[in-house]
Amino acid sequence: NAVVRGVTKSALRRGWKVVGICDGFRGLVEGDFRGLDDTDVSGILVRGGTILGTSNTANPFSYALPPLGSPERPRDLSKLAFRNFRRLGLDALVAIGGDGTLTMANQLYKRGMPVIGVPKTIDNDLSATDVTFGFDSALAVATEAVDRVHTTAESHNRVMIVETMGRYAGWIALRAGLAGGGDIILLPEIPYKAEDIIKAVLERKRRGKKFSIIVVAEGAKPARGGMTVAKVVKGSTDPVRLGGVSYKIAELLDGRVGMETRVVILGHVQRGGQPTPFDRWLATGFGVKAAELVSKKMFGRMVSFRNYGFASVPLSAAVGKLRRVSPSAQEIRTAIGVGTSFGNSGVTG
Ligand code: F6P
């Protein structure tokens, strides 16, 4: 919403008309849209989500949504998307989303559509930008959760496991773990070893700390084994849905650390509510920058945030390769510096 507002307000000030496409690429393929004026975007800065709706399955190049397509027989309806774009008399398309959305946006651009991308995902896993819109808000929720489970952990002498989202990148778990003082942080980028997690909990116990907080990313996996898949969503751009690894961690601690373990899976709570002040600020900057790129006809680019400034990069540099946590990153060394374990004694940062 905050990006939609930023783009719309700055476009209207330039005297342009703005059309909102409903449910992302579904609306582009099916011709579902609405005009956006100043009153439509008033008051939405503080509202999470999108007034336009969204879809994680509507791919113009492999359309699986009924009635035009089906998961069994997806169809290439990109020509329809182009036809609707022309029919509406549009001069530019601003696509707001993560790797899947921006990959499709780049495909449309390569076929001639004037497209600008805006990086929006709580996973913070896009290349070519230091941060994506939505990440800070999810981080705030995850950090608050870590803060809150301390109460029960300390009072009941328990191991509390907080599971965050993030897909194949551990940014939310890493930063919430750092900000919330997590004792053990488990990331997809650093495969864990059961013995090392147990050792970390027991070591704390020896030092008189009768509880431990584990922050685990949904994509965390054991050194020998895969990620925990909750379900597969047929027809989705990335059909795999992760979730539930924390139950596996709880199981392997059971009877080994002399403490009870409890699990909290945050799920979509991280994607809801009001965006943080940083995210509202970032989204407004992204939106205004996107309109600026349109005015300069700099298409095929994604707005980005680099070294505390708004910039832009070619869409092709932003998609296809996820930005994940490096096990040798400064942040990993920072966490180890305050005694945090990554459940893998081989990692030193
Ligand atoms: O990519 C954003 C994200 O929230 C991931 O962190 C999570 O794995 C996934 O989407 C959940 O998808 P869905 O809302 O379809 O369950």
Side-chain angles (χ1 to χ4, degrees):
N1 274 337
V3 177
V4 170
R5 172 183 173 273
V7 174
T8 303
K9 282 202 178 249
S10 85
L12 294 174
R13 282 172 66 86
R14 291 169 193 268
W16 303 343
K17 281 205 176 110
V18 183
V19 171
I21 312 280
C22 300
D23 301 339
F25 289 121
R26 186 197 67 76
L28 192 63
V29 168
E30 298 187 12
D32 192 2
F33 58 89
R34 55 182 267 205
L36 287 180
D37 62 25
D38 201 66
T39 44
D40 292 312
V41 296
S42 278
I44 67 168
L45 178 62
V46 301
R47 279 170 59 190
T50 163
I51 56 167
L52 295 174
T54 187
S55 166
N56 65 0
T57 39
N59 179 352
F61 300 94
S62 177
Y63 204 76
L65 286 176
L68 299 185
S70 73
E72 291 73 32
R73 267 199 47 220
R75 296 166 64 197
D76 182 353
L77 295 180
S78 52
K79 286 206 173 105
L80 203 49
F82 273 89
R83 209 175 304 152
N84 285 327
F85 184 85
R86 279 192 298 268
R87 190 166 59 88
L88 282 167
L90 300 178
D91 296 303
L93 177 76
V94 178
I96 307 167
D99 191 59
T101 301
L102 298 177
T103 300
M104 291 178 243
N106 193 34
Q107 282 173 288
L108 290 170
Y109 168 69
K110 284 188 185 154
R111 285 168 173 74
M113 196 175 281
V115 173
I116 303 292
V118 177
K120 180 232 47 115
T121 164
I122 64 163
D123 302 341
N124 202 29
D125 60 355
L126 281 172
S127 300
T129 184
D130 292 346
V131 65
T132 58
F133 170 61
F135 170 66
D136 189 64
S137 304
L139 178 60
V141 174
T143 305
E144 188 184 340
V146 175
D147 288 348
R148 284 178 183 269
V149 299
H150 267 86
T151 309
T152 304
E154 281 172 353
S155 315
H156 291 257
N157 299 340
R158 280 182 183 163
V159 177
M160 297 296 290
I161 306 178
V162 177
E163 180 175 319
T164 70
M165 279 184 165
R167 232 185 264 266
Y168 311 115
W171 295 108
I172 303 176
L174 174 61
R175 300 252 170 104
L178 268 166
D183 306 302
I184 298 161
I185 301 175
L186 305 176
L187 307 176
E189 295 88 345
I190 303 177
Y192 64 78
K193 296 178 187 162
E195 292 312 313
D196 286 345
I197 301 175
I198 293 164
K199 215 169 96 192
V201 174
L202 293 179
E203 231 156 63
R204 275 177 56 78
K205 224 175 150 186
R206 259 195 302 277
R207 284 189 284 116
K209 313 259 184 174
K210 294 188 190 140
F211 71 94
S212 280
I213 308 283
I214 303 181
V215 185
V216 54
E218 62 180 0
K221 57 180 184 195
R224 258 177 266 137
M227 293 181 181
T228 307
V229 175
K231 66 175 182 171
V232 174
V233 181
K234 244 179 146 187
S236 177
T237 42
D238 184 348
V240 173
R241 292 294 174 276
L242 300 170
V245 61
S246 43
Y247 285 110
K248 291 186 180 165
I249 312 288
E251 220 169 274
L252 61 88
L253 292 180
D254 206 24
R256 306 281 306 270
V257 291
M259 279 183 264
E260 279 190 70
T261 302
R262 293 287 187 275
V263 164
V264 180
I265 300 180
L266 298 179
H268 292 83
V269 169
Q270 290 154 104
R271 281 194 351 201
Q274 291 196 336
T276 57
F278 175 83
D279 260 345
R280 297 179 208 178
W281 172 84
L282 182 72
T284 305
F286 276 162
V288 171
K289 182 77 186 173
E292 196 182 297
L293 292 181
V294 172
S295 77
K296 292 181 179 156
K297 296 194 174 12
M298 288 171 71
F299 298 117
R301 299 184 74 79
M302 181 190 83
V303 300
S304 71
F305 187 70
R306 278 277 160 92
N307 304 320
Y308 264 82
F310 291 98
S312 74
V313 290
L315 267 172
S316 51
V319 298
K321 198 176 150 279
L322 293 181
R323 194 175 72 91
R324 304 178 72 205
V325 177
S326 160
S328 59
Q330 171 74 56
E331 288 186 66
I332 301 291
R333 286 203 297 285
T334 302
I336 290 173
V338 291
T340 306
S341 161
F342 285 94
N344 184 327
S345 50
V347 172
T348 50

